[in-house]
Amino acid sequence: MAATPAADPAADPVAAAKAAAPASGETVRVDSWIWSVRLVKTRSMGATACRGGHVRVNGERVKPAYAVRVGDEVRLRHADRERIVIVKRVIRKRVGPPVAAECYVDNSPPPPPREAVAPAGIRDRGTGRPTKRDRRELERLRGLGTPE
């Protein structure tokens, strides 16, 4: 007997989120939740961020075991960026990105634009080491050399 698409958690994001939700009365740790909704790569990175003071819930620094509830504002400083999210759904298992995005409201400021860096002397593969002339030209392009 084939499984129907509605019964398959991978096909239905809402079903996947419900499957990852804790049982009634259970709470979810903040380090586990920020990992589950893909704000950090590993749960241990979430715990380390909490211990380092990089995670705040409703404006207060929290320990990794702090219980997250629906409606909490979670602020995470990670990778030179601050993420501000409001908890919409509490889950305990890691889910895919589309499902994870439904578990919070993202109020984060947009990431800073990447600085446009001109490629400084791209060499053909296999041409060997740069000559002294090539090196001076690269330094001049990068602005490291003395003005001549």
Side-chain angles (χ1 to χ4, degrees):
M1 183 171 175
T4 61
D8 183 18
D12 186 21
V14 175
K18 286 181 181 177
S24 61
E26 249 184 89
T27 59
V28 176
R29 295 168 51 115
V30 68
D31 61 341
S32 180
W33 186 81
I34 63 176
W35 166 74
S36 298
V37 296
R38 298 178 167 264
L39 295 178
V40 293
K41 283 189 176 184
T42 64
R43 195 195 59 76
S44 62
M45 282 176 71
T48 303
C50 291
R51 283 193 296 273
H54 300 290
V55 178
R56 293 178 178 267
V57 177
N58 299 326
E60 303 212 8
R61 290 167 67 169
V62 293
K63 293 182 179 181
Y66 183 87
V68 174
R69 294 175 182 81
V70 174
D72 284 348
E73 179 192 62
V74 178
R75 291 176 175 255
L76 168 71
R77 275 188 295 131
H78 179 67
D80 299 330
R81 184 172 174 211
E82 183 171 31
R83 300 290 305 267
I84 304 168
V85 296
I86 307 293
V87 179
K88 266 178 39 177
R89 186 177 293 136
V90 178
I91 59 173
R92 60 178 157 72
K93 291 182 184 175
R94 191 165 171 98
V95 292
V99 179
E102 293 179 0
C103 295
Y104 60 86
V105 178
D106 196 355
N107 294 333
S108 304
R114 290 184 144 191
E115 295 180 22
V117 178
I122 298 173
R123 299 178 54 80
D124 293 331
R125 187 177 175 99
T127 56
R129 292 181 56 174
T131 63
K132 195 168 198 173
R133 173 185 274 171
D134 292 339
R135 184 180 50 79
R136 286 184 178 153
E137 183 67 19
L138 287 171
E139 287 176 354
R140 187 185 62 74
L141 285 171
R142 290 185 184 139
L144 301 174
T146 56
E148 296 178 60

